[in-house]
């Protein structure tokens, strides 16, 4: 599936996605995945930071509020339009560019202190290309930190097991080595059920954990941290279905590495 097809999917998703995220329907992000990412993030105040797969810019703007000089890149023109519109209304100094994170993005070598990416790299077809571009952009001593769906548990054959009383009792993992791209259709579960909206159309590129780690190492990075965070008790209380990912399987993988 070429990058142009991925861009079309996200252009089609962009308006509804932006509306839903900004309305607070992305509850996994709000209660778990982004908080876990921030927990692993070193201080970035005063650093030059680039956000790979910035989307409509909510996370990118959060990095800017931490004091970083931030650039966001995404291959969806519509997502970039939404990101720029907020920046124009409430300037934080974020620069946005329409480009792929897997190709030469047009910015100079060694121009950033950190490459960040939140829940985006599993949706791109060329992970080695993304790691090579991150390495090129980083200054010596700079780091990359990214989060993705946990490849050992979020597999093409994922399914929940139920006990005799209908309670979720286990997670079925299947087709771990099936790397065939596919398109997943879903909507945010916290949206009002009576609202008619189109499901998002999200390209997926399944990988093994070795695919991720070897791509990082092969680009020249030194891996410094691997995280498999669980939702906090407070998050599970606020959003009870998160407890499945605390007790029965891993949802999130965090990887940090440095350019020596």
């Amino acid at each position: 599936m070429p990058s142009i097809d991925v861009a079309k999917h996200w252009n089609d998703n962009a308006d509804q996605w932006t509306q839903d995220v900004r309305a607070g329907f992305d509850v996994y992000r709000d209660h778990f995945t982004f908080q876990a990412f921030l927990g692993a993030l070193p201080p970035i105040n005063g650093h030059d930071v680039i956000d790979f797969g910035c989307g409509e810019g909510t996370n990118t703007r959060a990095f800017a509020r931490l004091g970083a000089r931030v650039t966001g890149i995404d291959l969806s023109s519509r997502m970039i339009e939404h990101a720029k519109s907020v920046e124009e209304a409430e300037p934080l100094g974020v620069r946005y560019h329409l480009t792929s994170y897997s190709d030469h993005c047009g910015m100079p070598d060694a121009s950033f202190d950190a490459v960040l990416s939140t829940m985006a790299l599993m949706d791109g077809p060329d992970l080695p290309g993304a790691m090579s571009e991150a390495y090129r952009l980083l200054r010596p001593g700079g780091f990359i930190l990214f989060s993705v769906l946990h490849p050992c548990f979020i597999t093409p054959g994922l399914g929940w097991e139920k006990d005799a009383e209908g309670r979720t009792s286990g997670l079925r993992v299947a087709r771990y080595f099936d790397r065939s791209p596919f398109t997943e259709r879903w909507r945010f579960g916290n949206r009002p059920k009576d609202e008619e909206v189109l499901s998002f159309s999200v390209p997926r590129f399944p990988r093994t954990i070795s695919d991720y780690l070897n791509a990082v190492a092969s680009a020249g990075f030194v891996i410094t941290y691997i995280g498999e965070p669980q939702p906090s008790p407070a998050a599970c209380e606020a959003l009870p279905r998160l407890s499945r990912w605390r007790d029965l399987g891993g949802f999130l993988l965090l990887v940090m590495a440095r350019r020596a």
Side-chain angles (χ1 to χ4, degrees):
M1 184 181 294
S3 295
I4 187 65
D5 291 336
V6 176
K8 182 182 185 307
H9 280 278
W10 282 106
N11 281 331
D12 291 344
N13 293 334
D15 291 352
Q16 188 67 55
W17 182 277
T18 300
Q19 177 181 320
D20 286 0
V21 168
R22 295 178 184 176
F25 294 136
D26 191 357
V27 290
Y28 270 47
R29 173 207 175 273
D30 294 340
H31 289 285
F32 176 37
T33 62
F34 193 62
Q35 300 307 312
F37 190 92
L38 293 179
L41 180 64
I44 56 173
N45 182 43
H47 289 193
D48 295 308
V49 171
I50 185 167
D51 184 6
F52 275 21
C54 65
E56 49 74 45
T58 294
N59 294 352
T60 318
R61 290 173 64 78
F63 300 141
R65 292 189 184 97
L66 294 175
R69 295 179 293 272
V70 185
T71 298
I73 63 173
D74 201 281
L75 52 64
S76 166
S77 59
R78 191 67 182 140
M79 286 288 197
I80 289 292
E81 288 173 13
H82 284 300
K84 285 183 175 180
S85 68
V86 176
E87 177 61 24
E88 290 168 3
E90 301 175 18
L92 290 175
V94 181
R95 299 173 299 166
Y96 292 103
H97 297 276
L98 176 64
T99 186
S100 169
Y101 55 57
S102 296
D103 300 318
H104 196 297
C105 66
M107 281 165 264
D109 294 359
S111 52
F112 293 95
D113 302 302
V115 173
L116 308 180
S117 184
T118 59
M119 307 301 284
L121 292 176
M122 69 272 184
D123 297 338
D126 184 8
L127 180 66
M131 292 302 102
S132 295
E133 180 64 355
Y135 191 88
R136 182 188 73 79
L137 290 171
L138 281 173
R139 298 170 179 137
F143 71 91
I144 180 172
L145 174 64
F146 66 84
S147 62
V148 292
L149 294 172
H150 200 304
C152 298
F153 297 92
I154 313 295
T155 66
L158 177 152
W160 293 106
E161 303 289 345
K162 303 284 187 179
D163 62 19
E165 284 73 39
R167 295 171 298 196
T168 302
S169 58
L171 174 64
R172 182 181 70 247
V173 174
R175 295 163 48 207
Y176 174 65
F177 291 104
D178 183 354
R179 295 176 175 85
S180 305
F182 66 97
T183 300
E184 186 177 42
R185 298 186 181 277
W186 54 275
R187 50 181 273 172
F188 287 123
N190 270 45
R191 290 199 101 271
K193 302 301 182 185
D194 58 350
E195 289 188 12
E196 291 295 329
V197 296
L198 293 176
S199 297
F200 300 124
S201 176
V202 180
R204 295 288 192 218
F205 300 88
R207 300 182 176 98
T208 65
I209 195 167
S210 61
D211 291 334
Y212 280 105
L213 301 185
N214 287 332
V216 175
S218 295
F221 286 108
V222 177
I223 296 172
T224 59
Y225 173 77
I226 303 292
E228 299 172 290
Q230 294 172 281
S232 68
C236 293
E237 182 176 355
L239 191 66
R241 67 178 181 272
L242 274 176
S243 62
R244 300 179 301 178
W245 296 109
R246 179 193 62 199
D247 302 332
L248 302 176
F251 184 80
L252 190 64
L253 178 70
L254 293 166
V255 178
M256 185 160 64
R258 289 196 175 270
R259 175 168 178 167

